[in-house]
Amino acid sequence: MGKFEIVKRKNGEFQFNLKAGNGQVVLTSEGYTTKANCQNGIDSVKKNATEDAHYDRKEAANKKYYFNLKATNGQIIGSSQMYESEAGREKGIESVKKNVPEATIADLSIEI
């Protein structure tokens, strides 16, 4: 089962990573100024991740492949890692689709 991890960047922004059951990061968010906005981003991923039309498949200048998950309004809500092949990118998309519905949320941004 996958999980979302909320972390705090060195610049004070919050971001989430979606990790697959094996612990590999399959989706990373942009930076958010508040934790509430970061949570809204997770909610948006949960809402949009099951629809194939929300995945924007890309090829980088270095000939590696990645994808962006977009909300209904076209805004990017998460980006993948780089993949060596188109097939790898497709597996990454399937992993997001598979892991999102039951994903738990771990808040690692709490300062002790």
Side-chain angles (χ1 to χ4, degrees), residues 31-86:
Y32 295 96
T33 54
T34 67
K35 193 184 299 185
N37 287 343
C38 188
Q39 179 64 55
N40 289 340
I42 291 171
D43 293 342
S44 185
V45 169
K46 289 184 172 192
K47 178 180 172 186
N48 293 287
T50 57
E51 296 290 327
D52 195 65
H54 291 274
Y55 291 89
D56 192 10
R57 293 158 170 88
K58 299 283 199 176
E59 182 178 351
N62 65 0
K63 302 295 182 197
K64 294 197 178 192
Y65 301 89
Y66 68 102
F67 62 87
N68 293 318
L69 176 61
K70 292 186 173 186
T72 307
N73 65 5
Q75 182 178 357
I76 296 172
I77 48 180
S79 298
S80 73
Q81 64 181 10
M82 291 292 181
Y83 295 94
E84 295 294 326
S85 67
E86 290 180 73

